[in-house]
Amino acid sequence: MTDYTVTFATLNCLDYTKKCVDSLLASGVDASRIVAVDNASSDGTQEYLQQSGLGTTIFNRQNLSCGAAWNQGILAQQSEWTIVMNNDIVVAPGFAQRLIQFAITNKLQLVSPARIDGTADYDFPQFAAQAQQSTAKATRKGSSNAICMCIHWSLFNQIGFFRANPTLLGFEDGLFYNEVRKHGIAHATTGSVWIHHFGSVTQEHMKMVLGIQSQDVLVKVNDRKLYGQSWLERKLYRHNLKRSHLAWRAQELRDYGMTLHGTRVKNAFVWL
C-alpha cells in the first residue's frame, strides 16, 4: 500500500473546507491520511475540524502563514508522499493514487494535476472522468503549481521545506519552486488527474481583512532579491516561462481541443 498523506491549511472559508474534505473522502482518501492545519480561523472552521475525524488536526494561535502550516502538516505524518493542497479545491475519484502513480511511472519527485479555476457551475465529476481519459498523455514537464503538489519525501531532503515567515503572505510557493528549479528537480503537470479550484479563496479573504484591493498582490517584495537572481536572470526566466506556456497551450489545443489549465467564464470553459 502506498504511504501517503494529504495536508492543507485553513484560514476561515469554512464552506470551501467542507467541500474539500467531502471530495477527498469521496475520492477514496481515508480520513486517517488527512492532516488539516488551521491558522486561527474564527468562523467555525476549528469546531468543524475538531469533530471531522481527520487523521491529524493542528490549531495555531495566529496566522503563521501557508509555509509554516504546510510544514506542520508535512511533518505531522512523515509519509513517503505528501499531497500539499489548497482548501478551496475539489477532487475526483482516485485522485491521490493517480497522482502518485503518475509520479512513480515518470520518475518525478513533484507533480500537480490539471485544473479548472472559477465557479463550479458544471458537472465536475463527469468532466473529470472524461478529461482524465482524453488528456491522460498530456504532460507539462517542468511546470507544476502550489495549488496542489504531490511531493516525494526525498525532495525535502534535497531542498528543505517551505519558507516559514508570516510576512511573506503567500509568496512561499514562489521561493519553494525557485529551489526546485535551481536543484533540477524533475516535476510536471499531468492531464491524467484533474481538480476544480474555486480560486484563491484564502488569499482573497486575507486581502479583505488587510484592506487590500482584490486586484492587488498581497505583498510587494523585491522577488529578485529573495530569489537570489539578477534583473536579467529574472527577466529571462519570465520570458522563457511565457514562451513555454504558449507552446503548451498551442500543442494541447491541437491534440486535445483543450488545455491542462482552464477557467470558467460565463458558463463556458476558457483554455489558458
Side-chain angles (χ1 to χ4, degrees), residues 8 81 110 113 164 166 190 210 244-245 253-254:
F8 59 85
W81 294 92
L110 170 61
T190 175
L210 295 170
S244 294
H245 276 109
L253 285 173
R254 182 179 66 247

Side-chain angles (χ1 to χ4, degrees), residues 113-161:
R115 76 180 197 267
I116 301 295
D117 294 329
T119 306
D121 57 359
Y122 64 107
D123 187 336
F124 170 69
Q126 181 182 55
F127 167 85
Q130 295 173 346
Q132 287 173 172
Q133 288 188 357
S134 60
T135 62
K137 296 182 179 180
T139 306
R140 293 187 178 188
K141 294 182 178 179
S143 174
S144 52
N145 63 79
I147 292 166
C148 182
M149 305 169 277
C150 180
I151 307 170
H152 193 265
W153 185 262
S154 62
L155 185 149
F156 302 123
N157 288 329
Q158 288 179 258
I159 70 172
F161 297 89

Side-chain angles (χ1 to χ4, degrees), residues 49-111:
L49 292 176
Q50 285 170 342
Q51 55 81 44
S52 63
L54 302 183
T56 304
T57 51
I58 299 170
F59 301 100
N60 292 325
R61 296 177 60 184
Q62 67 181 75
N63 181 5
L64 297 181
S65 77
C66 284
W70 287 337
N71 291 343
Q72 288 173 292
I74 293 163
L75 294 170
Q77 294 188 30
Q78 298 175 31
S79 305
E80 181 179 2
W81 294 92
T82 302
I83 299 174
V84 181
M85 52 185 268
N86 282 20
N87 67 320
D88 60 343
I89 71 174
V90 293
V91 305
F95 152 80
Q97 292 289 357
R98 292 171 69 91
L99 269 181
I100 293 167
Q101 188 55 56
F102 181 87
I104 292 171
T105 300
N106 291 275
K107 297 180 172 57
L108 302 173
Q109 291 174 276
L110 170 61
V111 64

